[in-house]
Amino acid sequence: ARTLRSILRLLAVHALDLRPGGPDERAIMVLLKQVVADADKATGLWHELGEIGRSLAEQRAWLNREELVARLRSAGHDLATGVRASTTATELLARQLSAWQEKLGLAEHDAWQKLTYGLNQEIPAIRSDRLDALEALAAWLLGQSWPTTFPRVRIAFIRHAYALRALLSALRNYTEAHGSARRLERLYQRLERWDPPEYQRLLRETQLRQQVIWYLVTELSRSVNLIIQAVREEVDPGFRIVEGLVLSMEPGIMNMYLVRAVRELGLGRSSAIPVARTDQVGDRGQGCGKWY
């Protein structure tokens, strides 16, 4: 059966949408911009490749890689400085992206939504092993060098690392061990004797910490989506095209809401999300509790 599949593979037909502005042409242009020394000349290279392809089809001939590169150079296309370097940068970034998705849990079914669901609850909680994995990811991000070939991707990962470290700092300082998990420490339970003013102060502080965690979870989700958008813009338009952007799951009284923390919802690169004041905490519909 395996031999039969390998033989029939030669009969497969792959259709490409090469209309101007079509999805396959856009994907090709992203790759061609990495091949030429001057990205503005990628369109000319694309037209040249089309002419060569038509000529080879009429002659029923073919070229190997070295012959194709030689013909393109003889036609005036400068490929000397970028072919291997850009390819290497793309390959390295692909390996980094694969490792990042695995470490963040994006490769696991519903793992990201389960993580955000736990942290978005009235008493934010996270499994201890999941917290350890996020700590390991933060250390891994700190040691990475992102290709300068893709500046948007590099900036997106830097922002992602900042968002992750901010969330981890809050989780380390605001949560306490609870079985195999950690959950928000309720400061008002520390009272040894009834003291209404002190109880209210500790309650407000607990609620503020609660909303800080909610806010930072949204910021982390936003930073993940920023990476996805940057990779699509600079490297691969089809990156996570099937899985889509990440969704932050929030518990509701009668339902669970899926929240898209992306630019289309006003949570873009330049938007500022205010942290709730102490007089706003306690209401999930105020401050930074919900994101619609």
Side-chain angles (χ1 to χ4, degrees):
R2 183 177 300 175
T3 303
L4 179 60
R5 284 197 299 269
S6 63
I7 294 174
L8 293 178
R9 191 179 299 124
L10 298 175
L11 304 178
V13 176
H14 298 277
L16 297 176
D17 184 358
L18 298 179
R19 294 173 299 174
D24 291 317
E25 189 198 52
R26 292 199 305 270
I28 290 171
M29 293 306 298
V30 170
L31 296 175
L32 291 182
K33 287 179 180 180
Q34 302 170 25
V35 171
V36 292
D38 185 353
D40 293 334
K41 296 182 179 179
T43 302
L45 177 60
W46 172 234
H47 292 156
E48 184 71 30
L49 287 170
E51 292 297 327
I52 293 175
R54 281 188 287 271
S55 175
L56 291 174
E58 293 173 358
Q59 301 171 15
R60 295 189 176 183
W62 63 282
L63 298 174
N64 60 32
R65 183 180 184 279
E66 290 73 18
E67 292 170 337
L68 177 60
V69 170
R71 180 175 294 193
L72 291 172
R73 287 177 178 167
S74 66
H77 297 283
D78 184 7
L79 308 177
T81 60
V83 177
R84 189 58 202 160
S86 293
T87 302
T88 301
T90 303
E91 292 171 350
L92 291 176
L93 180 60
R95 292 169 59 185
Q96 289 175 302
L97 288 170
S98 177
W100 167 69
Q101 292 184 86
E102 181 178 352
K103 293 176 182 295
L104 188 57
L106 297 183
E108 303 174 27
H109 179 65
D110 290 341
W112 177 261
Q113 292 181 18
K114 290 178 180 177
L115 169 68
T116 56
Y117 179 80
L119 290 174
N120 279 328
Q121 297 204 51
E122 293 298 322
I123 303 176
I126 182 174
R127 293 199 327 258
S128 297
D129 62 331
R130 195 71 176 89
L131 181 59
D132 292 341
L134 290 180
E135 294 274 10
L137 172 60
W140 180 82
L141 288 169
L142 193 60
Q144 293 302 301
S145 297
W146 306 104
T148 56
T149 314
F150 312 112
R152 289 179 182 269
V153 174
R154 179 175 176 273
I155 292 172
F157 266 108
I158 291 174
R159 291 189 59 173
H160 175 60
Y162 279 131
L164 178 58
R165 289 201 295 271
L167 176 60
L168 288 173
S169 177
L171 293 177
R172 283 192 297 265
N173 291 307
Y174 297 163
T175 63
E176 60 184 354
H178 182 73
S180 61
R182 293 190 66 85
R183 69 180 185 181
L184 179 69
E185 181 181 9
R186 286 167 284 183
L187 302 175
Y188 50 86
Q189 293 183 344
R190 292 180 178 178
L191 284 177
E192 297 180 356
R193 59 183 180 82
W194 180 237
D195 183 341
E198 181 65 7
Y199 177 86
Q200 290 298 322
R201 186 188 72 80
L202 293 176
L203 177 62
R204 287 195 299 270
E205 177 64 23
T206 299
Q207 292 172 329
L208 180 60
R209 293 182 176 191
Q210 171 196 58
Q211 295 215 11
V212 167
I213 291 176
W214 290 341
Y215 164 74
L216 292 174
V217 170
T218 300
E219 277 294 289
L220 184 62
S221 298
R222 185 163 70 105
S223 73
V224 172
N225 286 333
L226 187 61
I227 290 173
I228 296 173
Q229 298 276 22
V231 172
R232 289 178 179 176
E233 292 172 7
E234 291 188 327
V235 186
D236 178 11
F239 179 65
R240 288 186 59 85
I241 200 66
V242 175
E243 300 89 342
L245 301 172
V246 300
L247 299 173
S248 181
M249 183 173 284
E250 176 183 301
I253 297 177
M254 299 297 293
N255 201 347
M256 292 178 296
Y257 301 95
L258 292 177
V259 182
R260 278 183 57 171
V262 290
R263 287 176 290 180
E264 290 83 354
L265 301 185
L267 303 180
R269 293 176 181 146
S270 60
S271 65
I273 309 176
V275 176
R277 301 188 305 271
T278 54
D279 60 344
Q280 293 178 314
V281 298
D283 185 350
R284 189 77 177 186
Q286 292 181 347
C288 56
K290 281 191 176 179
W291 305 97
Y292 293 104

